[in-house]
């Protein structure tokens, strides 16, 4: 397991300030304007899908809807791809549905906002790998870790097609930070044995099979990023390790990691009606995303 990074966050560069405002606008659109988006609010779920598709298109990317039927209604994963020189795929994504009763600003407006911003950053790149950006539907209960979870439907189809995904990066709740002592808590043994007690870091989590990918990503992140980070490769049964779309890719044998502020272990508004855009720390959220941009650039060069 990589050690602890305690570098101090510096001021934002002009590029980072522009990125911050883009992230803020994306979160505001998803969680402020559209609001709760799930199968109980199906029109809003689709409004979010339309917004995501539009945002990819505006960046000049070709988009595709990966659809499936559930209870007589159609659900969509939204994909944008930047073809590379060779067919190996680096996939970055997060879920766009919100849990019942929540507008989902941090969970997971942040992951989608980051996916959209990163897709735009790479839109005119000529990558070696194929870069794929995906917004997944139906991650939250009752679909969570079930066959109807959007990312599992998607990952199964990747496996059936023989897609060569060499890295999957799941962006899950990445916008809340605190410097207060004991702002990081753990309801059970597990991650708490590995992570510190102040919620000022971004976490990288993987299963044991994806350990080498996690090490590579966190090493690259620390080369550039101006925010502390923690990493742990743990058995997937430990609470928190499987809790997002990376799990779906593990089921299909792919290597995948999650980037997260640790959500329920830190965020007081987790899965509540108060998970609104004003709760987020946009400066540190930006440093996570700008760091991930460098990680993707470097992963592509390897
Ligand atoms: Zn989530």
């Amino acid at each position: 397991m990589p050690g602890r990074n305690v570098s101090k966050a510096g001021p934002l560069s002009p590029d980072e300030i522009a990125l911050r405002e883009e992230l803020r606008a994306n979160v505001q659109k998803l969680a402020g304007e559209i609001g709760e988006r799930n199968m109980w609010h199906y029109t809003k779920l689709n409004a979010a899908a339309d917004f995501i598709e539009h945002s990819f298109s505006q960046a000049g990317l070709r988009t595709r809807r990966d659809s499936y039927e559930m209870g007589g209604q159609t659900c969509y994963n939204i994909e944008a791809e930047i073809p590379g020189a060779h067919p190996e795929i680096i996939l970055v994504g997060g879920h766009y549905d919100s849990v019942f009763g929540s507008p989902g600003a941090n969970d997971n407006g942040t992951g989608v906002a980051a996916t959209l911003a990163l897709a735009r950053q790479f839109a005119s790149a000529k990558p070696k790998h194929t870069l794929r950006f995906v917004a997944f539907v139906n991650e939250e209960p009752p679909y969570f870790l079930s066959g109807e979870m959007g990312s599992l439907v998607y990952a199964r189809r990747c496996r059936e097609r023989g897609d060569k995904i060499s890295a999957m990066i799941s962006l899950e709740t990445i916008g809340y930070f605190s410097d207060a002592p004991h702002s990081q808590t753990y309801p059970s043994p597990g991650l708490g044995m590995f992570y510190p007690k102040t919620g000022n870091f971004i976490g990288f989590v993987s299963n044991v099979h994806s350990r080498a990918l996690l090490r590579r990503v966190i090493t690259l992140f620390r080369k550039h990023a101006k925010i502390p980070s923690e990493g742990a490769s743990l058995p997937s049964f430990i609470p928190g390790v499987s809790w997002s779309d990376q799990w779906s890719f593990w089921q299909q044998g792919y290597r995948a990691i999650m980037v997260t502020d640790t959500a329920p272990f830190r965020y007081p508004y987790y899965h509540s009606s108060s998970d609104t855009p004003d709760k987020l720390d946009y400066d540190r959220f930006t440093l996570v995303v700008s760091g991930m941009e460098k990680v993707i650039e470097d992963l592509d060069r390897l």
Side-chain angles (χ1 to χ4, degrees):
M1 186 179 54
R4 188 162 172 201
N5 178 349
V6 289
S7 66
K8 282 257 188 301
L12 299 189
S13 70
D15 280 355
E16 285 166 342
I17 289 170
L19 174 61
R20 181 187 65 195
E21 295 316 307
E22 180 180 1
L23 293 169
R24 193 198 302 274
N26 287 344
V27 171
Q28 179 57 31
K29 176 74 188 182
L30 287 161
E33 203 176 305
I34 294 172
E36 184 176 346
R37 49 200 179 280
N38 49 45
M39 293 304 282
W40 296 273
H41 297 82
Y42 183 68
T43 309
K44 291 187 169 187
L45 185 68
N46 283 322
D50 290 345
F51 165 66
I52 291 159
E53 189 175 57
H54 180 73
S55 174
F56 282 147
S57 301
Q58 286 280 93
L61 295 166
R62 204 165 45 90
T63 69
R64 189 177 71 84
R65 283 190 179 223
D66 174 69
S67 63
Y68 64 102
E69 296 292 320
M70 209 172 58
Q73 285 177 306
T74 310
C75 310
Y76 304 99
N77 298 308
I78 313 287
E79 170 194 289
E81 188 174 274
I82 304 165
H86 59 79
E88 271 195 16
I89 298 163
I90 298 171
L91 193 153
V92 179
H95 71 88
Y96 71 88
D97 60 315
S98 66
V99 76
F100 183 80
S102 173
N106 199 16
D107 183 8
N108 190 27
T110 55
V112 175
T115 300
L116 296 176
L118 289 166
R120 195 189 50 73
Q121 304 266 19
F122 285 96
S124 54
K126 296 271 172 281
K128 273 167 67 178
H129 297 71
T130 291
L131 303 183
R132 225 187 249 178
F133 299 90
V134 189
F136 300 108
V137 72
N138 297 338
E139 187 267 355
E140 296 288 3
Y143 314 108
F144 184 62
L145 310 190
S146 86
E148 291 177 321
M149 191 172 169
S151 56
L152 185 59
V153 172
Y154 183 93
R156 271 198 194 121
R157 290 173 178 172
C158 288
R159 182 51 80 196
E160 283 162 16
R161 282 195 301 264
D163 286 0
K164 294 186 171 57
I165 299 169
S166 54
M168 186 278 171
I169 298 171
S170 165
L171 303 174
E172 171 62 63
T173 309
I174 55 176
Y176 186 79
F177 302 89
S178 170
D179 297 311
H182 306 290
S183 49
Q184 186 74 43
T185 59
Y186 306 95
S188 59
L191 284 175
M193 292 147 58
F194 300 91
Y195 278 172
K197 306 290 181 259
T198 303
N200 63 350
F201 61 90
I202 188 71
F204 293 81
V205 183
S206 82
N207 63 355
V208 175
H209 179 66
S210 306
R211 188 177 46 213
L213 173 64
L214 182 110
R215 261 203 209 113
R216 200 180 310 141
V217 167
I218 202 162
T219 302
L220 296 174
F221 187 84
R222 287 175 180 172
K223 253 173 64 188
H224 304 285
K226 296 188 280 184
I227 183 164
S229 51
E230 298 291 332
S233 297
L234 297 167
S236 53
F237 62 79
I238 288 184
V241 174
S242 293
W243 291 358
S244 191
D245 301 299
Q246 72 283 357
W247 172 85
S248 302
F249 289 80
W250 295 343
Q251 302 315 299
Q252 299 302 313
Y254 290 118
R255 288 181 169 79
I257 66 162
M258 169 171 64
V259 185
T260 181
D261 68 17
T262 76
F265 305 132
R266 176 187 306 174
Y267 188 47
Y269 314 105
Y270 177 69
H271 279 193
S272 81
S273 58
S274 307
D275 181 9
T276 47
D278 56 302
K279 304 302 191 311
L280 306 184
D281 180 334
Y282 288 94
D283 279 8
R284 285 191 269 193
F285 173 25
T286 299
L287 296 181
V288 171
V289 179
S290 62
M292 289 312 296
E293 186 192 342
K294 303 288 187 199
V295 167
I296 297 163
E297 252 174 49
D298 285 356
L299 274 182
D300 181 50
R301 283 197 200 105
L302 296 173

